[in-house]
Amino acid sequence: MGTNRNREQVFRFKQFSVANRLAAMKVGTDGVLLGAWCDVAGCTKVLDVGTGSGVIALMIAQRCPEADITGIEVVHEAVVEATENVAASPWRDRVRVMEADFNCAAVDGTLSRYDLIVSNPPYFTTDVKSPLAARAAARHGDGLGFGDILRNAPSLLAPGGRIALVSPADRETDIMLDCELAGLSVSRLTRVYTKPSASAPSRLLWEISAIPSPLLSDSLVIGSERYNDLLRDFYLAL
């Protein structure tokens, strides 16, 4: 998981391609896994917060032919790239990219109500910042974090709507608290392990809603048959 500066500048999936030359955060396992894992059943309006290169928005467009998807992104270079990726995709008529700060747009009436709000938000919170402002914002959570999304999302959810996130495993307690403070309920939590022998998960996949519900918890191992099944419609090698 994570990014690599030497990564291919164009990431090719089975039905679309994503250029990631400009976006600070490149296509990686976290976003792709979230795009394949999130529940899109019954969704007609979807918001991808911090869309970056647009990969999650495009994956959801592929999975959910009835949905209109909006990707919101504050970094101009990423907006340019995501817009180009959408224009080159089969779903250009159902996906749009908005250049805006989510925290502001959530309260100024810019955004609508959504059946699904999905995000692979910034989560590197170390004190050492990248010298590039865009990469610092993307990697360190400058201006957008899990708490921001969970605080603002309830007012943007349609009845029965849900939130889907991916986070580092060590943020579980923090995010549980953020959900409680926002009056939200965690309905599904998948712990992601890098290999079968790993003693602890590296990532968490969250499904959250405003309706109290019992928590369904499970685990997923990278490279397992279940993992391959999730990504089979996307990765060329599967």
Side-chain angles (χ1 to χ4, degrees):
M1 297 188 182
T3 62
N4 184 332
R5 69 177 58 190
N6 296 318
R7 181 166 298 187
E8 291 288 341
Q9 291 190 336
V10 177
F11 199 104
R12 292 177 173 81
F13 295 89
K14 286 182 176 176
Q15 295 190 33
F16 64 97
S17 295
V18 174
N20 54 180
R21 296 181 298 271
L22 301 177
M25 294 305 292
K26 308 306 181 186
V27 174
T29 304
D30 290 358
V32 174
L33 187 54
L34 179 63
W37 175 89
C38 63
D39 182 5
V40 298
C43 290
T44 59
K45 294 191 71 174
V46 177
L47 179 66
D48 177 18
V49 179
T51 196
S53 62
V55 62
I56 295 175
L58 290 170
M59 290 180 72
I60 292 174
Q62 177 180 326
R63 294 180 60 204
C64 194
E66 301 82 15
D68 290 320
I69 301 105
T70 297
I72 186 170
E73 173 60 56
V74 71
V75 179
H76 177 71
E77 291 80 6
V79 171
V80 170
E81 191 154 65
T83 301
E84 293 174 351
N85 288 332
V86 168
S89 79
W91 311 290
R92 63 186 68 87
D93 59 332
R94 292 194 291 111
V95 182
R96 73 182 183 113
V97 181
M98 174 191 301
E99 183 170 355
D101 180 284
F102 171 73
N103 293 323
C104 296
V107 298
D108 67 8
T110 300
L111 298 174
S112 181
R113 294 202 175 244
Y114 303 92
D115 304 303
L116 174 64
I117 297 174
V118 62
S119 184
N120 173 23
Y123 49 75
F124 291 85
T125 57
T126 58
D127 292 332
V128 179
K129 300 291 182 89
S130 163
L132 299 176
R135 192 162 182 82
R139 291 182 66 85
H140 296 280
D142 295 354
L144 178 66
F146 297 103
D148 298 304
I149 295 169
L150 295 171
R151 181 171 58 254
N152 288 308
S155 64
L156 301 174
L157 286 176
R162 50 197 176 268
I163 305 161
L165 305 172
V166 58
S167 79
D170 62 7
R171 297 297 301 277
E172 181 172 355
T173 300
D174 294 340
I175 294 174
M176 285 288 190
L177 178 58
D178 286 335
C179 288
E180 183 177 346
L181 292 173
L184 296 166
S185 175
V186 181
S187 53
R188 190 162 58 119
L189 183 62
T190 295
R191 292 177 169 83
V192 181
Y193 294 80
T194 56
K195 55 185 178 181
S197 61
S199 59
S202 62
R203 296 288 185 267
L204 302 174
L205 295 165
W206 300 80
E207 182 179 276
I208 300 162
S209 75
I211 301 172
S213 59
L215 172 60
L216 300 177
S217 181
D218 64 3
S219 62
L220 177 67
V221 178
I222 301 296
S224 66
E225 190 58 32
R226 182 187 169 205
Y227 172 86
N228 290 342
D229 286 343
L230 276 174
L231 296 174
R232 201 174 304 279
D233 289 340
F234 300 99
Y235 278 162
L236 293 174
L238 296 178

